[in-house]
Amino acid sequence: MSDANAPWLVVGLGNPGPGYAANRHNVGFMVADLLAERIGGSFKRAQKAQAQVLEGRVGPPGPAGRRVVLAKPLSYMNLSGGPVTALRDFYKVPTANIVAIHDELDIDYGMLRLKLGGGDNGHNGLKSMTKAMGPDYHRVRFGIGRPPGRMQVADFVLKDFSSVERKELGYFVDRAADSVECLVTEGLERAQSTYNS
């Protein structure tokens, strides 16, 4: 299978369960849910991995559309590497066709940065993925900003978005979903020039 025809694996990072659903750390799940809505399907439990998956296409209808496997790992964030590697192997996805959507402390709230490879910047989901398969996958980094005052990082990421943040959250999640579609269909350079802020 040539890389041009290889599927993409788009992974929203988060923690499973309703208690975490609205946390800042779960913004990857929020973007994945919106992409699933756009594809017009619903997540199903994967046979071969501890994850929920949805197969579909993004981009223009017909052969120009790209085959995508959307996934939400059902392990906790710090164990994301296992399910992602299992899905990569099952669907025969090149590592360069994997996209991780995740929260990012070092970027202002709502801002996006797309890149290929790099460090994990202390993010446990990325740390687990990189340990399992190396760093050469795409990242869609969704800014959540830094915790206020002396709040611990762990407490901040596991809190829900504030009421002020929630007013714009839908817009920012929508934009992040657009950036993923652009990355998959038009490439990293085009997606960076359009969405990096």
Side-chain angles (χ1 to χ4, degrees):
M1 182 196 293
S2 78
D3 272 11
N5 298 319
W8 284 73
L9 174 58
V10 175
V11 183
L13 294 180
N15 286 308
Y20 295 101
N23 287 180
R24 292 182 177 94
H25 221 19
N26 269 43
V27 76
F29 274 16
M30 296 172 197
V31 177
D33 285 337
L34 179 57
L35 286 165
E37 211 175 285
R38 289 180 180 185
I39 286 170
S42 53
F43 284 99
K44 307 256 185 310
R45 185 72 190 249
Q47 298 296 311
K48 304 289 182 185
Q50 195 184 356
Q52 290 183 318
V53 293
L54 168 64
E55 294 178 63
R57 287 190 172 272
V58 298
R66 302 304 295 258
R67 195 171 142 230
V68 165
V69 179
L70 266 183
K72 298 194 296 185
L74 294 174
S75 60
Y76 284 91
M77 179 72 88
N78 58 347
L79 300 171
S80 301
V84 175
T85 306
L87 292 170
R88 176 198 67 180
D89 295 348
F90 179 71
Y91 289 102
K92 299 180 174 52
V93 179
T95 302
N97 279 23
I98 295 173
V99 182
I101 310 163
H102 64 92
D103 57 307
E104 177 62 62
L105 288 160
D106 286 338
I107 302 173
D108 289 341
Y109 172 61
M111 301 292 105
L112 295 173
R113 299 263 168 79
L114 286 77
K115 67 176 195 168
L116 174 63
D120 57 54
N121 206 16
H123 191 287
N124 289 332
L126 297 183
K127 203 175 286 184
S128 176
M129 284 180 61
T130 297
K131 189 176 173 191
M133 60 189 186
D136 300 325
Y137 53 91
H138 288 88
R139 298 101 193 277
V140 172
R141 304 157 73 205
F142 187 112
I144 60 168
R146 282 256 158 214
R150 294 188 175 165
M151 188 189 287
Q152 294 297 308
V153 165
D155 295 335
F156 179 68
V157 299
L158 293 175
K159 279 202 176 343
D160 290 359
F161 285 100
S162 70
S163 55
V164 172
E165 288 170 332
R166 281 199 298 272
K167 287 179 182 155
E168 291 184 296
L169 183 60
Y171 168 75
F172 290 138
V173 167
D174 196 62
R175 196 164 177 273
D178 290 346
S179 79
V180 172
E181 291 182 348
C182 182
L183 168 62
V184 168
T185 57
E186 299 183 60
L188 179 62
E189 221 168 279
R190 179 63 190 270
Q192 285 176 323
S193 67
T194 309
Y195 294 99
N196 274 14
S197 38

